[in-house]
Amino acid sequence: MSHSDIQPYFDTYNQLLGAVEGLSQEQLSWKEAPASWSVTEVLTHLADHSLVISFRIRDILAGTTVRLPAFNQDAWVSGQKANDGAAADNLTIFHQLLRYNSLLFERLNDEDWQKTGINAKGDTVSITNIIQGFTKHVNNHLSQIDRIKRSYASANQREVSSS
């Protein structure tokens, strides 16, 4: 995998920073419905997901023959009371895991990037696939953050109109 191919992975942090820039604590923790995620919960999930893919990559490099672990994202978010945490802390963790992985990626050769494991669904995935999938996953959640921000603005507009 070339540096240009992996750059979108590294860009995810700045994209997340941009997505939450200027949001108040109320906006970060606001939920459209009890079962919906707040922006803070989305950021918690992305930090968790980064942790999990970091493990998966290292497990593949170690030559694992067991299925790579999955995780129950909703249970993880609710179990750790994610909305009571700080969005900035989640962004810091996310950024540090990107940096930690970047140190590893610098040491990988072409053969390493193509090493594979079996995901929880039973599909064979390479390290390259994992990184590309993670980047796409973050982009999906960036869209989710935009939807949450629009819903918050709409809800506040309705509230002001009804006052």
Side-chain angles (χ1 to χ4, degrees), residues 17-80:
L17 279 179
V20 302
E21 184 177 6
L23 295 182
S24 67
Q25 181 56 44
E26 179 183 342
Q27 290 169 302
L28 290 166
S29 61
W30 180 83
K31 296 167 68 134
E32 186 170 20
S36 300
W37 280 359
S38 68
V39 171
T40 298
E41 289 171 326
V42 171
L43 295 174
T44 300
H45 164 67
L46 290 173
D48 290 344
H49 193 244
S50 187
L51 181 68
V52 170
I53 69 129
S54 296
F55 175 86
R56 291 173 183 163
I57 290 166
R58 284 156 180 82
D59 217 26
I60 288 171
L61 290 170
T64 188
T65 57
V66 297
R67 283 195 180 189
L68 300 169
F71 70 109
N72 183 331
Q73 63 185 23
D74 292 318
W76 278 40
V77 166
S78 66
Q80 61 186 299

Side-chain angles (χ1 to χ4, degrees), residues 1-2 5-10 12 49-50 53-54 56-58 60 97-98 101-102 104-105 108 113 125-139:
M1 187 168 214
S2 73
D5 292 336
I6 200 162
Q7 193 58 46
Y9 169 80
F10 294 122
T12 57
H49 193 244
S50 187
I53 69 129
S54 296
R56 291 173 183 163
I57 290 166
R58 284 156 180 82
I60 288 171
L97 285 166
L98 285 180
N101 285 335
S102 75
L104 169 63
F105 297 162
L108 300 183
W113 282 103
V125 293
S126 68
I127 293 173
T128 299
N129 299 142
I130 290 171
I131 295 303
Q132 291 169 339
F134 178 79
T135 303
K136 182 179 177 183
H137 185 81
V138 172
N139 285 317

Side-chain angles (χ1 to χ4, degrees), residues 94-161:
F94 184 90
H95 189 228
Q96 292 306 317
L97 285 166
L98 285 180
R99 291 187 66 219
Y100 181 56
N101 285 335
S102 75
L103 298 172
L104 169 63
F105 297 162
E106 290 174 8
R107 298 187 299 266
L108 300 183
N109 60 36
D110 290 342
E111 183 181 310
D112 293 327
W113 282 103
Q114 296 311 312
K115 288 184 178 180
T116 61
I118 306 298
N119 69 15
K121 297 176 188 174
D123 300 326
T124 300
V125 293
S126 68
I127 293 173
T128 299
N129 299 142
I130 290 171
I131 295 303
Q132 291 169 339
F134 178 79
T135 303
K136 182 179 177 183
H137 185 81
V138 172
N139 285 317
N140 290 338
H141 284 295
L142 284 163
S143 296
Q144 180 183 17
I145 290 170
D146 285 340
R147 286 190 304 274
I148 294 167
K149 291 179 348 185
R150 285 192 308 271
S151 293
Y152 175 85
S154 177
N156 279 348
Q157 188 67 14
R158 286 191 304 268
E159 191 174 296
V160 168
S161 298

